[in-house]
Amino acid sequence: MTIRRLQPTDSIEDLTALIHRAYQRLGEMGLNYTAVNQGPEVTLERVLEGECWLAEMHGATVGTAVLSFPEPYRESGRAYVNQFAVEPDLQGMGIGSALLQHLEERAREVGCHEIGLDTAESAGHLVRFYETRGYQFVEYVQFEGKTYRSVILVKLL
């Protein structure tokens, strides 16, 4: 597996399809994550908010995540992970862990001392995934338009 930055020649439509596949289970759980049904224009908008990274195996994109530095995080040396997705048939094989580790290393490289992310409180399997990788609960947030309460998790780098 290799991890690389998204390039202008990469297909946003293909990336969107991967994200939809990865979030389908969450949508079936009744969770209206943006990634469940976002269009390519939203994928592109979210990609442009930070650094989009791709995990590839045998020339195929099997995972993705965006590392961003939104305000007020940037001012306090924090990075944020979003649009994190792994091909469903390959989940549990270490791709997500490798991608997350890469983003953590990249955040350290650019001077961040902390990295955060959010997920639905009721997506216990995701909360556990992050907690086993050193992320700790900070707070609950009810984002506008979401049918679920989010858990904010942070890891010191």
Side-chain angles (χ1 to χ4, degrees):
M1 181 181 69
T2 59
I3 297 175
R4 67 171 179 86
R5 288 278 297 266
L6 179 77
Q7 299 298 310
T9 55
D10 291 315
S11 168
I12 294 298
E13 289 76 14
D14 291 348
L15 186 61
T16 302
L18 165 66
I19 292 166
H20 287 173
R21 290 190 301 275
Y23 280 79
Q24 181 178 351
R25 175 180 173 200
L26 297 163
E28 290 169 353
M29 292 171 60
L31 303 172
N32 68 333
Y33 283 84
T34 301
V36 169
N37 59 3
Q38 70 190 32
E41 67 285 349
V42 174
T43 300
L44 180 59
E45 180 181 307
R46 296 178 83 191
V47 159
L48 294 174
E49 291 175 354
E51 301 177 358
C52 183
W53 293 89
L54 306 178
E56 292 183 325
M57 291 177 66
H58 310 293
T61 301
V62 296
T64 186
V66 174
L67 180 67
S68 61
F69 310 93
E71 299 298 337
Y73 282 84
R74 180 187 320 261
E75 295 171 0
S76 59
R78 297 179 188 163
Y80 208 78
V81 177
N82 57 38
Q83 202 162 249
F84 185 28
V86 173
E87 194 67 63
D89 293 343
L90 300 176
Q91 291 176 5
M93 297 179 65
I95 295 166
S97 294
L99 193 53
L100 197 56
Q101 181 179 347
H102 182 84
L103 269 59
E104 292 166 3
E105 290 170 4
R106 175 65 180 145
R108 270 190 220 98
E109 190 177 284
V110 298
C112 293
H113 60 83
E114 191 174 274
I115 191 166
L117 50 81
D118 65 84
T119 195
E121 176 184 16
S122 58
H125 65 292
L126 294 177
V127 173
R128 285 187 298 281
F129 171 81
Y130 297 124
E131 287 177 339
T132 61
R133 282 148 189 85
Y135 288 77
Q136 298 180 339
F137 170 82
V138 174
E139 66 180 324
Y140 294 110
V141 174
Q142 181 65 51
F143 290 110
E144 184 178 340
K146 298 301 170 197
T147 58
Y148 56 87
R149 185 167 73 161
S150 290
V151 177
I152 307 296
L153 301 160
V154 171
K155 180 178 182 176
L156 298 177
L157 298 175

